[in-house]
Amino acid sequence: MGAKKWIAMLLAGGQGSRLGELTIGLAKPAVPFGGKYRIIDFPLSNCTHSGIDTVGVLTQYQPLILNDYVGNGKAWDLDLDVGGVSVLPPYQGKEGGEWYKGTANAVYQNIQYIDNYDPEHVLILSGDHIYKMDYSKMLDYHIEKNAEATIAVIQVPWQEASRFGIMNTNDDDKVTQFDEKPKYPKSNLASMGVYLFNWKTLRRYLINDEKDATSSNDFGSNIIPKMLEDRKKLYAYRFNDYWKDVGTVESLWQAHMDLLEEKPNFQLDDQQWKIFARNANHPPQYISSDAEVSQSLINEGCMIHGKIEHSVLSYNVQVGYGSTIKDSVIMPNVTIGENVHIERSIIASNCIIENGAVVGNSAVTSDITLIGENQTIINPNKKKITLN
Amino acid sequence: MENVLGIINLINEKQHLKELTAHRNVASVPFGGRYRLIDFTMSNFINADVSKVAVFPKEKYLSVMDHLGSGKEWNLDRRSGGLHILPPIHPDEKVTGDMKQFYDHLSFFERAEADTVIISPGCHVCKLDFNEVLDYHKKHKADITVVYKDYVGELIEKPIYNTCSVDSDEDITDISFYTIPKPGDHVCLETFVISKALLVNLIKSCVASGEYDFLKDAVKANLHRFTVKGYNFTGDMPFIHSIESFHSSNMNFLNPTVIRSFFGDTWDVYTKIKHEAPTKYSRSSKVTNSLIANGCVIEGTVENSILFRGVKVKKGAIIRNSIIMQKGEIEEDAIVENIITDKEVKITSEKTVIGLNQPTVIKKAEVI
């Protein structure tokens, strides 16, 4: 097998517990996004566009939907004989096996997979963010700087900097210090969770990290600080485009609302950088004579008889007569009856909202209402019909 | 379905869709917002689990090859079976008939592991259950089964349909060529079930005696020799034979009942995936009674219309009773009524285009 220039390892094992009921039955990277996609489509499409043809997807928490979705990778043109996409759950070897203990340990347990391709560089990605990024530019930068590791960073507002892993750098953007969620940040360059390593160096650090019983085996908390301690050449690569962490119900909702701006900062319909997704086959959407649709994104298979205002509707959503959906995100296969009112809500896949039901709170100060998968919401005022 | 070879026969296509078939074959004509006509036949094969399908195009087949690709959208990128496109092997020679082109690819038939062949054209918009047709074929111990449908619709101008006579035993007793069918006449859907062995024999014997037409020289000529049965297809299927009927059969899909009956949960119609984003409706969009594919950006008014993938409708533009094919652009304050625009047409701002007595076609990539 010929050596690969670089390969990517996508950390997709996290639960994403801050997404509440959305991640009961599926891992965070499998959460639907943007009316058509799942979060993992963004890093996978970035890989395709950046010319990365080998991606290991490390799964652990609720992997079934994710495994099935990634499949053989053909949606992302990653169905190759050598390389392509491989789903890598924890496995048993001769010495036994164990769960992935942390992000670094997950990659450590797959050293053999990476060695198979003998890559010069390994890109570590996470499945938590919405962004379009050409990783090949980061690789050029990494080579130009003769770095041993390069960490993609984005400038965040100073007041939010203490929520992120912050990179302190010198004038040349060489990383001098890494502060995980600092109380008093010295910089506003936040790590995007995108790391590029020279494989030989990373391999050594992973093995040593594994021997350290006190380590939590995490890239951010252990590997990066250790490399800095050893005065390795680490560089920050500045990314200046849209990047959104969608790890909470609020941020997931906000990222959807961002898409609805007249001139959004993040466009899904960029012909030069299409976001690939495993497509289910659905007919075009039907907007009936009684429907009113404004400032919304609607996907195939939808049948709309009601009023849709400033919302994102995923595929196969049915909306009955007299219903209103405002400032909301409706995930696939949701059936909404007649005279329903939904506002400031996220409705997860396969829910049924019965005639006359009301979901959500219109006050802008209120929390976003989340209805988890497969639920039926009834109209509380509905008279019970009893059969004799 | 085990041991069935599907043939999509495009050799006998008739060019009655005028401008829409100027640069493409009939099978590649866009339909229903995101499909091509051939998608319906392809999907009929896939939904019947036929995993080996060969397409026989005659001419202008670049778009059909581009559309079908490796067949992966239909799960036909298989090691065994899969999709085969078998064009004429002597492109300079005039194609004399479908049997000649089958003969030129005779080894393909001989090598195929199938023992039954289903032949169907690529132009019918219908959900035809080939398993049912095959069961019928077996039950009646037919040598050849001919699928027909009773004509419904207005009077056709040109004689373009072949009709068949069927007796009370469902035997085909006669076939008439190029007729103008009256409502209720049995229009032959050019769809057949036949054993591979018999088909191969007929291909050889017809070509040896200078006969090249499957329906005329293999079926009609042998009505007395073989058991030829008629299968009456009673499902929905528009007869598309003109620009008007093309327009009206598209418009039939502006109806939730029709949409559900064609694209229900158990029957997918597959087509080429374009990875378009969901359609974006702006603050100023007004859309009613319309079928909209993905990748559109709508800022204007759309009424009783069908928009294909990637159509842009700018502010103040009005589209009524029209079909806008892929990547059409209707600019600010333009008015489009009773029009079919082929792919990539641009109607510039403030222009008005109206099809007066009948829907008018605007040719591919034209700018008005």
Side-chain angles (χ1 to χ4, degrees):
Chain A
M1 198 182 305
K4 297 259 183 195
K5 183 169 76 167
W6 57 334
I7 71 169
M9 299 295 275
L10 204 164
L11 303 161
Q15 177 184 355
S17 53
R18 289 175 305 155
L19 285 171
E21 286 185 61
L22 273 178
T23 52
I24 288 176
L26 74 178
K28 179 155 128 188
V31 168
F33 185 85
K36 168 161 183 171
Y37 313 93
R38 293 183 189 264
I39 295 171
I40 195 171
D41 289 329
F42 293 84
L44 283 179
S45 299
N46 287 343
C47 285
T48 305
H49 289 299
S50 303
I52 299 174
D53 66 6
T54 305
V55 184
V57 177
L58 301 152
T59 61
Q60 177 154 288
Y61 174 79
Q62 286 287 22
L64 290 183
I65 288 176
L66 201 54
N67 291 355
D68 182 50
Y69 184 72
V70 172
N72 68 355
K74 78 176 171 182
W76 305 271
D77 258 345
L78 290 170
D79 49 336
L80 303 174
D81 286 341
V82 178
V85 69
S86 308
V87 175
L88 304 169
Y91 64 94
Q92 293 263 326
K94 201 176 167 195
E95 311 294 322
E98 56 182 344
W99 294 108
Y100 294 150
K101 292 178 287 184
T103 52
N105 174 260
V107 178
Y108 168 82
Q109 291 200 35
N110 288 285
I111 282 179
Q112 215 183 333
Y113 169 82
I114 301 173
D115 279 345
N116 271 339
Y117 298 104
D118 190 18
E120 220 168 303
H121 304 100
V122 173
L123 182 70
I124 307 292
L125 302 170
S126 65
D128 307 354
H129 306 115
I130 303 301
Y131 66 117
K132 292 185 280 195
M133 181 174 180
D134 187 346
Y135 304 130
S136 72
K137 288 186 181 154
M138 183 175 174
L139 177 66
D140 292 345
Y141 175 89
H142 176 85
I143 292 168
E144 183 198 309
K145 293 289 182 189
N146 199 16
E148 284 181 275
T150 298
I151 298 140
V153 295
I154 189 154
Q155 280 185 294
V156 294
W158 279 96
Q159 66 269 23
E160 289 179 28
S162 43
R163 294 186 12 225
F164 293 93
I166 293 294
M167 297 290 157
N168 300 324
T169 59
N170 70 9
D171 292 346
D172 190 32
D173 279 346
K174 188 172 175 199
V175 179
T176 53
Q177 199 184 9
F178 175 75
D179 274 346
E180 180 67 27
K181 296 184 181 142
K183 206 171 171 193
Y184 303 105
K186 283 177 250 165
S187 142
N188 66 341
L189 295 177
S191 166
M192 295 165 58
V194 175
Y195 309 106
L196 184 63
F197 293 98
N198 292 346
W199 174 233
K200 281 197 184 111
T201 309
L202 176 62
R203 195 179 189 282
R204 206 163 56 239
Y205 273 84
L206 289 173
I207 290 168
N208 288 336
D209 179 65
E210 190 59 22
K211 288 179 191 152
D212 178 359
T214 64
S215 173
S216 54
N217 310 115
D218 184 82
F219 277 101
S221 317
N222 307 104
I223 301 289
I224 300 293
K226 184 79 178 114
M227 289 178 90
L228 284 171
E229 201 184 297
D230 295 347
R231 301 190 170 275
K232 294 285 170 196
K233 272 174 91 176
L234 270 65
Y235 274 85
Y237 173 74
R238 289 173 189 252
F239 180 70
N240 298 316
D241 219 325
Y242 185 92
W243 176 84
K244 191 112 188 164
D245 182 288
V246 288
T248 64
V249 173
E250 179 76 30
S251 64
L252 181 67
W253 177 82
Q254 188 57 53
H256 279 92
M257 296 301 119
D258 288 351
L259 299 171
L260 300 174
E261 293 298 311
E262 194 96 357
K263 290 203 165 53
N265 292 323
F266 187 77
Q267 276 184 312
L268 293 171
D269 59 350
D270 184 346
Q271 294 298 313
Q272 308 307 316
W273 201 277
K274 284 192 177 185
I275 309 302
F276 303 118
R278 208 41 201 277
N279 277 272
N281 238 308
H282 303 290
Q285 52 203 274
Y286 176 67
I287 313 294
S288 86
S289 304
D290 303 282
E292 258 181 74
V293 182
S294 73
Q295 237 199 329
S296 293
L297 279 174
I298 301 189
N299 196 2
E300 287 166 339
C302 287
M303 206 170 270
I304 313 294
H305 296 290
K307 184 174 178 183
I308 316 295
E309 215 185 314
H310 198 247
S311 295
V312 178
L313 272 60
S314 195
Y315 57 84
N316 269 357
V317 172
Q318 318 288 313
V319 181
Y321 295 97
S323 291
T324 304
I325 299 173
K326 194 179 171 195
D327 302 332
S328 294
V329 177
I330 315 293
M331 290 182 176
N333 302 314
V334 170
T335 302
I336 295 164
E338 298 177 6
N339 302 311
V340 168
H341 186 88
I342 299 174
E343 195 163 345
R344 287 173 58 77
S345 297
I346 296 177
I347 314 282
S349 308
N350 310 316
C351 283
I352 296 169
I353 315 295
E354 292 191 347
N355 293 351
V358 176
V359 180
N361 188 333
S362 63
V364 287
T365 50
S366 66
D367 286 342
I368 299 304
T369 303
L370 170 67
I371 308 291
E373 286 186 302
N374 308 313
Q375 296 196 33
T376 299
I377 305 296
I378 58 164
N379 174 3
N381 301 321
K382 195 170 71 177
K383 287 194 184 113
K384 284 205 177 106
I385 300 165
T386 44
L387 296 170
N388 301 324
Chain B
M1 232 189 301
E2 292 284 313
N3 293 323
V4 173
L5 167 64
I7 299 291
I8 302 186
N9 180 359
L10 311 182
I11 305 161
N12 304 319
E13 286 188 343
K14 298 170 190 78
Q15 307 293 318
H16 44 255
L17 291 178
K18 295 174 186 154
E19 297 94 330
L20 295 177
T21 50
H23 59 275
R24 59 166 82 87
N25 52 8
V26 178
S28 308
V29 169
F31 188 90
R34 67 188 285 267
Y35 305 97
R36 307 271 189 155
L37 291 176
I38 197 172
D39 291 338
F40 293 87
T41 306
M42 284 287 282
S43 301
N44 287 342
F45 279 123
I46 303 320
N47 286 314
D49 290 326
V50 175
S51 58
K52 190 177 179 77
V53 175
V55 180
F56 284 80
K58 183 175 76 172
E59 54 187 5
K60 292 183 279 190
Y61 47 80
L62 201 65
S63 57
V64 85
M65 290 180 89
D66 176 54
H67 182 67
L68 298 177
S70 64
K72 73 175 175 180
E73 257 92 29
W74 295 267
N75 284 320
L76 285 176
D77 51 338
R78 306 277 184 92
R79 205 170 300 285
S80 89
L83 178 71
H84 303 260
I85 298 180
L86 304 170
I89 58 168
H90 308 293
D92 304 336
E93 271 174 36
K94 195 172 179 300
V95 175
T96 42
D98 47 10
M99 291 299 250
K100 175 66 168 65
Q101 198 167 322
F102 292 163
Y103 182 79
D104 288 342
H105 293 285
L106 192 64
S107 61
F108 171 81
F109 287 94
E110 288 174 333
R111 276 206 305 262
E113 274 173 30
D115 47 43
T116 306
V117 181
I118 297 177
I119 304 173
S120 195
C123 59
H124 294 321
V125 176
C126 65
K127 282 163 57 172
L128 175 54
D129 187 341
F130 286 137
N131 278 321
E132 251 182 52
V133 184
L134 195 70
D135 286 348
Y136 175 95
H137 179 78
K138 283 181 186 156
K139 198 177 124 203
H140 290 83
K141 298 193 168 59
D143 295 307
I144 301 173
T145 294
V146 177
V147 179
Y148 68 88
K149 180 168 180 60
D150 291 353
Y151 185 73
V152 281
E154 71 278 27
L155 198 66
I156 297 170
E157 289 164 23
K158 286 184 190 158
I160 53 167
Y161 286 118
N162 304 325
T163 48
C164 45
S165 309
V166 187
D167 69 11
S168 54
D169 292 331
E170 300 176 11
D171 283 311
I172 302 279
T173 55
D174 195 13
I175 293 169
S176 312
F177 294 89
Y178 297 102
T179 64
I180 294 181
K182 297 184 299 298
D185 280 359
H186 310 315
V187 174
C188 171
L189 296 187
E190 321 285 325
T191 299
F192 312 95
V193 182
I194 185 171
S195 74
K196 191 186 88 172
L198 179 56
L199 178 63
V200 166
N201 279 340
L202 286 168
I203 293 170
K204 285 184 191 162
S205 63
C206 279
V207 171
S209 50
E211 297 167 339
Y212 301 111
D213 188 77
F214 179 76
L215 185 61
K216 179 165 151 276
D217 304 316
V219 182
K220 183 174 177 172
N222 290 308
L223 284 177
H224 302 294
R225 239 176 96 202
F226 298 140
T227 306
V228 183
K229 289 286 177 184
Y231 175 93
N232 184 5
F233 174 61
T234 53
D236 289 335
M237 189 200 99
F239 285 91
I240 300 173
H241 47 77
S242 62
I243 293 294
E244 292 94 309
S245 57
F246 173 79
H247 184 265
S248 64
S249 49
N250 267 282
M251 292 303 162
N252 265 341
F253 278 81
L254 298 180
N255 178 338
T257 317
V258 175
I259 295 171
R260 287 202 185 96
S261 91
F262 263 85
F263 308 105
D265 290 339
T266 55
W267 195 282
D268 274 335
V269 180
Y270 301 92
T271 190
K272 186 176 176 178
I273 302 295
K274 304 265 188 195
H275 293 283
E276 296 282 4
T279 279
K280 187 164 189 182
Y281 298 78
S282 82
R283 263 196 194 93
S284 53
S285 74
K286 287 192 186 68
V287 181
T288 54
N289 193 36
S290 294
L291 198 60
I292 316 273
N294 267 359
C296 295
V297 179
I298 305 176
E299 299 169 354
T301 300
V302 182
E303 292 171 11
N304 310 321
S305 294
I306 294 175
L307 306 190
F308 280 70
R309 291 184 274 199
V311 169
K312 310 269 180 281
V313 183
K314 294 279 161 65
K315 246 183 197 165
I318 299 173
I319 299 172
R320 291 193 186 101
N321 305 319
S322 295
I323 298 168
I324 311 295
M325 291 182 184
Q326 216 178 303
K327 297 203 165 144
E329 268 189 77
I330 314 299
E331 293 191 333
E332 286 83 357
D333 303 312
I335 299 175
V336 177
E337 255 184 71
N338 211 22
I339 294 286
I340 299 168
T341 63
D342 204 327
K343 284 168 71 176
E344 293 154 27
V345 164
K346 189 189 236 182
I347 310 292
T348 56
S349 57
E350 297 182 25
K351 286 279 180 342
T352 298
V353 282
I354 297 179
L356 283 179
N357 300 316
Q358 56 184 51
T360 306
V361 178
I362 297 177
K363 282 188 213 141
K364 187 177 170 182
E366 216 163 285
V367 179
I368 289 186

